[in-house]
Amino acid sequence: MSLIFAIFLPIIIALVIPFLFKKVSNIHTGWFVLLVPLVLVFFYGTYIPTVMDGNTYIEELSWVPSLDISLVSYIDGLSLLFSLLITGIGALVVLYSIFYLDKEKEKLGNFYVYLLLFMSAMLGVVQSDHLISLYFFWELTSISSFLLIGYWYTKDRSRFGALKSMMITVFGGLMMLGGFVLLGIMGETFSIRELIDQAPILVGHEFFVWALVLVLIGAFTKSAQFPFYIWLPDAMEAPTPVSAYLHSATMVKAGLYLVARFTPIFALSEVWVWLVTGVGLLTLFWGSVFAVKQTDLKAILAFSTVSQLGLIMSLLGIGSISYHVTGTLVTTFTIATFAAIFHLMNHATFKGSLFMIAGIVDHETGTRDIRKLGGLMSLMPISFTIAMIGSFSMAGIPLFNGFLSKEMFLDATLSLQHFNVHSLESWWILFPTVAWIASVFTFVYSLYFVFHTFRGKHKPELLPKKAHEAPWGMLVSPSILAILVIVIFFVPNYFSSLFIKPAVAAIQPLAYQVPADIGFKIKAWHGFDSPALYMTLGVFLIGFILYKTIDKWAPVYERIPAKISLNRFYNGLMNLSDKGANRLSSSYMTGSIRSYLIYMFAALIILLALTMWIKNAFVMDLTNLAPIKFFEVLISLILIISTVTILVTKSRLTAIIALGAVGYTVALFYIIFKAPDLALTQLVIETVSVALFLGAFYHLPKMNKYEKGKEDRRFRLNNFLIALGVGIMVTLIAIASHSQKLVESISGYYKETVYSEAGGGNIVNVILVDYRGFDTLFEIGVLTIASLGIIGMITVQLAKKKGDRKVEDK
Amino acid sequence: MEILMSILIGFLFMAAVYLILSRSLLRIIIGTGLLSHGTHLLLLTMGGLGGESAPVLAEGITDYADPLPQALILTAIVISFGVTAFSLVLAYRAYKVVGTDNMDLMKGNEDND
Amino acid sequence: MKTNDLIIQTTTKVVFFIIFLFSIHIFFAGHYTPGGGFVGGLVMSSAIVLLMLAFDLKTVQDMLPVNYTVITAIGLIISLLTAAGSIFFNVPFFTHVYDYFNLPLLGETSIHTAMFFDTGVYLVVVGVTMNIIQMIGGDE
């Protein structure tokens, strides 16, 4: 199977899903869908042994050759790890969803199409080497996330959440596109690999910092970093399998992927280091503190995801310091990158299982409100066990993989003391402190999540359903993840050499040629002299005390004024743009044809005048003029008099006859200017037209002049000025166009060939039916349509249908 | 002659635009009629007015009027007839249904689009 | 539009046929001298309009019981088929051919495919114009 085909496999399968859902109703559609990630996970699995040794694979498919845009699938350690996560977690989530979503009640066709669309998009993001195709897939993940959050589109909250996530992530995506374009301009290539090679040159470019910031905004919005995280809690309206998949394990990690992928380019700038580290730590802190405030199980998990993403982000930031140091310090800081990838993997396992448990609790009790839950331990023992494993890992308690990566994280923040630039001096201590406080809160909300749900007093009267253990099928996926949580703790170095080291080697290509060069091992025990050990012990102690006293201090949250919340800011902004857009468009879309005509005429005047002025196009050539005869002047006078009559008359009849007079004088002009066909046609058509007007006379409104009074003087003046402008412009154009013939007229060709080629004598008629027969064909088509329209208007009684709706005269 | 025609065409356009911008339906329709007359003459003038003979082949004549604008105008005349007829019917049907021919009142309001 | 003017009615009956023949002439002459499908069709319609003015709508409809929509459709089809016919001879859409024939009575005449196309135009113009007039005049 080709790599590019593998990316598109889910989309291809998605095409047949709606039919399967319709036709095969007795088998849950999910079972068919499940095959896709299963096949893919084995497919990508076959790459592990070679990628472990530092090999990379590349496959290219030209997409828009004229713009040099191609789909490039590039497999190295980093993209392979993500591909495996996407397909592996994807398989578990699909399996879980089979039991979570009822095949009778839910529109599974839609659901799985969106899910497969997402899978393709996400694989595309992590494997694209071309910036533009990366952007394309990136936005596709936003769109599929939008569709999945809004899956229960009848709920207001779902639609709101879907829109919010879309607004924020697409905003970030556009920023990112800007950054990509800048990168493309700087490096004259859109290939990430080539840009990495040029990184030392790029860093001095004036656009470099701009590109960096723009790309980071993209990453921060996607990975729900402060202050863009607000969409993630609202995204929890999605069905739980989606939350587990997109909003904790994969899509929100796309931002982390982006940061990791661009580290070799941007890490050369210190702005990158401080932005990534700082925003990451702030997000970690913010998310963990506010997670404790939440009462909805999934909201707790959402904030915890925000905070964990911040943790990984800050680790990536610290890891990028390795580009600024030399000697043994490179290894010291690379450990941070290593820890980032390790924690990313761990987070996918424990958070995935926790989301699934939250879904099970919701499914089996009918509520996710933690205030109503409690004492489920004896009713749902397996769920409880899994939840405990997941939470303890999240809290960083030994025997679970979270402990290992959390320890490495604390170590990494401490290592900042070795990075002495910009008079950081003693300020570095701020970073471990923030990290430590955040860890305490993480510990608190982890315990809060599991124990408030499963222990304490059971309150069956508050639950919409009678609680009982979930069916086995729903428990399979979280169980697998929970088992992984424990297995990784015991054999971390095995996983490290399989996944983490190749990924780290991809992020730090300068320091490590092959993954095997990365020497360090993951250890659970660092000895008594390790400061991280004491920090961890402190976390446990303070965390436990805080957890026990949670009811005493939790009311503090109530005192935070709601005015300064980011959500309020977002809502205000959306409201403002809504109203602003409304006001703007209603300011010029008046619904009156007159306004639109004025725009058109004004544009006509201005554009033509400008063009004439700029291009110096007005030329008056008096040499080649036809002579003026008395007769012609006479006809002109008649024409002017008839036109003036139309303008001033108050009677319909006079106006119609005057219009006819104009038509007949025009016909006279045709005769003078040697156009017999036109004259004939004009004469006949004028006759028919006058008959037409007279025929409709009976039905026509009076020739009202609504603009008579003094108050309408301005109105008339405006009209007159515009009309005068148009008149003058047309005159100028007529003169100018007559005075300069820029190209030879095609008429010569017609004159020469009309007899020899077309066998006719009347050139005008031959042009109509032969040379330009197409025009005539369409013209009679238009005529037919006009007559059918008239028949329609007259025979179909609109008035009866709509009732007698009359506009009251003001 | 071309200069005189240009001015005449400008005058026709001016009158047509003035009529089109007014509030009364009938005046708008008459305005479109005038506008098409103006356009036809404009096309003709642009091609030059100095032909010796009509564009019909005849022995011994070489200086024909330009046939291309004439063909274009012929098409335009017939089309503008169709358009005039259509807008005429549209106008009086609208007048019948809505009960006014004042464009300002016909444009609809907040709850009656 | 009820009129009972005897002079107009009697004259019209004669004039109608003159105009009708004129329209046929103008149509056939169109390829060499001024005229053609558009003008021919319009002249034809104006003849019918004249009838309508002299008598009234109802009488004219009884005299000429034609459905003008059908006429329009036939015209459109003729034009389209003439244009499309060329593709069966492996030449581009809208390629016309002509040749000279020696017909009895008329002598040497040329026959054009363009003329068939023009016939379609003629019919469409008559159909459309009459439809419009009839609709507007007949609407109470």
Side-chain angles (χ1 to χ4, degrees), chain A residues 261-503:
Chain A
R261 181 54 89 200
F262 281 91
T263 296
I265 300 173
F266 289 132
L268 300 176
S269 159
E270 268 183 36
V271 179
W272 172 268
V273 173
W274 297 120
L275 262 181
V276 175
T277 315
V279 170
L281 272 179
L282 182 59
T283 311
L284 163 68
F285 175 76
W286 192 274
S288 64
V289 167
F290 280 91
V292 185
K293 182 192 173 189
Q294 308 303 318
T295 52
D296 180 340
L297 281 186
K298 279 177 81 176
I300 300 174
L301 291 179
F303 274 92
S304 111
T305 305
V306 168
S307 114
Q308 302 279 323
L309 291 169
L311 187 154
I312 302 170
M313 192 63 87
S314 65
L315 278 173
L316 286 171
I318 298 171
S320 62
I321 295 178
S322 66
Y323 282 87
H324 294 271
V325 293
T326 49
T328 51
L329 282 178
V330 174
T331 319
T332 313
F333 286 108
T334 308
I335 293 176
T337 310
F338 186 90
I341 302 296
F342 187 33
H343 195 70
L344 188 145
M345 194 171 86
N346 293 343
H347 180 250
T349 55
F350 67 70
K351 190 54 66 63
S353 68
L354 284 178
F355 262 113
M356 290 178 187
I357 293 301
I360 287 173
V361 170
D362 186 13
H363 205 260
E364 304 307 331
T365 63
T367 182
R368 297 195 309 248
D369 191 336
I370 202 160
R371 287 166 300 191
K372 296 181 186 164
L373 293 164
L376 295 175
M377 188 173 78
S378 52
L379 294 165
M380 308 167 79
I382 306 173
S383 305
F384 169 63
T385 315
I386 299 168
M388 208 166 68
I389 294 170
S391 305
F392 282 10
S393 177
M394 185 156 73
I397 294 173
L399 294 182
F400 309 102
N401 59 6
F403 168 73
L404 299 173
S405 44
K406 196 58 88 47
E407 194 97 322
M408 291 175 85
F409 163 65
L410 292 174
D411 255 337
T413 54
L414 287 170
S415 67
L416 275 172
Q417 61 183 300
H418 303 298
F419 185 42
N420 275 322
V421 284
H422 289 311
S423 60
L424 191 65
E425 287 162 12
S426 55
W427 283 101
W428 68 271
I429 198 76
L430 197 66
F431 289 86
T433 313
V434 170
W436 185 79
I437 298 173
S439 302
V440 170
F441 277 98
T442 307
F443 188 84
V444 172
Y445 72 68
S446 300
L447 295 191
Y448 173 67
F449 174 81
V450 63
F451 289 128
H452 269 235
T453 314
F454 290 98
R455 299 210 38 202
K457 208 171 155 297
H458 186 43
K459 294 161 259 186
E461 69 282 357
L462 289 176
L463 302 179
K465 282 189 198 168
K466 198 174 155 356
H468 53 78
E469 186 58 277
W472 66 270
M474 266 173 121
L475 290 167
V476 171
S477 299
S479 304
I480 294 173
L481 290 171
I483 290 166
L484 272 175
V485 166
I486 299 174
V487 169
I488 292 175
F489 176 79
F490 285 105
V491 285
N493 290 308
Y494 175 66
F495 286 91
S496 144
S497 53
L498 278 189
F499 305 116
I500 305 172
K501 283 181 183 173

Side-chain angles (χ1 to χ4, degrees), chain A residues 21-315:
Chain A
F21 176 57
K22 282 241 169 78
K23 297 292 167 200
V24 191
S25 55
N26 50 349
I27 304 173
H28 196 285
T29 320
W31 291 112
F32 303 108
V33 178
L34 183 58
L35 292 173
V36 179
L38 276 182
V39 167
L40 287 176
V41 82
F42 282 113
F43 170 69
Y44 290 120
T46 58
Y47 283 89
I48 298 176
T50 43
V51 170
M52 249 175 86
D53 297 332
N55 293 320
T56 56
Y57 296 87
I58 190 152
E59 199 179 298
E60 199 167 338
L61 179 76
S62 192
W63 182 16
V64 189
S66 55
L67 296 175
D68 196 24
I69 294 175
S70 51
L71 288 175
V72 181
S73 168
Y74 178 64
I75 293 276
D76 64 356
L78 188 62
S79 52
L80 183 67
L81 170 68
F82 270 93
S83 303
L84 282 166
L85 265 182
I86 294 159
T87 48
I89 304 279
L92 294 175
V93 162
V94 171
L95 177 68
Y96 175 78
S97 72
I98 293 172
F99 297 92
Y100 188 83
L101 294 171
D102 193 296
K103 74 171 192 281
E104 309 291 331
K105 292 179 201 149
E106 304 286 353
K107 292 175 289 295
L108 294 174
N110 295 2
F111 181 79
Y112 285 115
V113 168
Y114 303 156
L115 204 71
L116 289 171
L117 182 70
F118 169 75
M119 210 180 277
S120 274
M122 197 64 206
L123 286 173
V125 166
V126 299
Q127 293 182 15
S128 288
D129 181 56
H130 193 283
L131 289 177
I132 300 299
S133 69
L134 170 57
Y135 171 75
F136 168 76
F137 286 118
W138 181 277
E139 294 294 39
L140 203 57
T141 62
S142 295
I143 291 167
S144 50
S145 158
F146 168 80
L147 291 169
L148 282 166
I149 298 171
Y151 170 65
W152 283 313
Y153 54 81
T154 47
K155 292 200 297 185
D156 277 345
R157 295 288 315 164
S158 291
R159 292 202 304 270
F160 174 75
L163 192 64
K164 192 170 177 179
S165 77
M166 176 98 145
M167 293 305 286
I168 295 178
T169 53
V170 169
F171 157 76
L174 281 174
M175 294 287 138
M176 191 182 82
L177 178 65
F180 284 177
V181 171
L182 287 181
L183 273 177
I185 292 171
M186 287 189 284
E188 289 175 350
T189 172
F190 280 113
S191 161
I192 299 173
R193 284 170 305 131
E194 289 170 25
L195 284 169
I196 289 175
D197 293 338
Q198 298 183 23
I201 311 166
L202 296 182
V203 74
H205 201 283
E206 53 177 334
F207 291 156
F208 188 76
V209 174
W210 289 103
L212 183 157
V213 171
L214 288 173
V215 170
L216 270 186
I217 291 178
F220 286 167
T221 50
K222 199 71 153 187
S223 280
Q225 297 296 296
F226 187 86
F228 305 113
Y229 73 89
I230 49 170
W231 68 267
L232 192 60
D234 284 299
M236 290 302 134
E237 292 303 320
T240 304
V242 174
S243 310
Y245 188 33
L246 272 72
H247 305 126
S248 96
T250 54
M251 190 184 85
V252 288
K253 296 209 167 95
L256 300 173
Y257 166 80
L258 199 74
V259 169
R261 181 54 89 200
F262 281 91
T263 296
I265 300 173
F266 289 132
L268 300 176
S269 159
E270 268 183 36
V271 179
W272 172 268
V273 173
W274 297 120
L275 262 181
V276 175
T277 315
V279 170
L281 272 179
L282 182 59
T283 311
L284 163 68
F285 175 76
W286 192 274
S288 64
V289 167
F290 280 91
V292 185
K293 182 192 173 189
Q294 308 303 318
T295 52
D296 180 340
L297 281 186
K298 279 177 81 176
I300 300 174
L301 291 179
F303 274 92
S304 111
T305 305
V306 168
S307 114
Q308 302 279 323
L309 291 169
L311 187 154
I312 302 170
M313 192 63 87
S314 65
L315 278 173

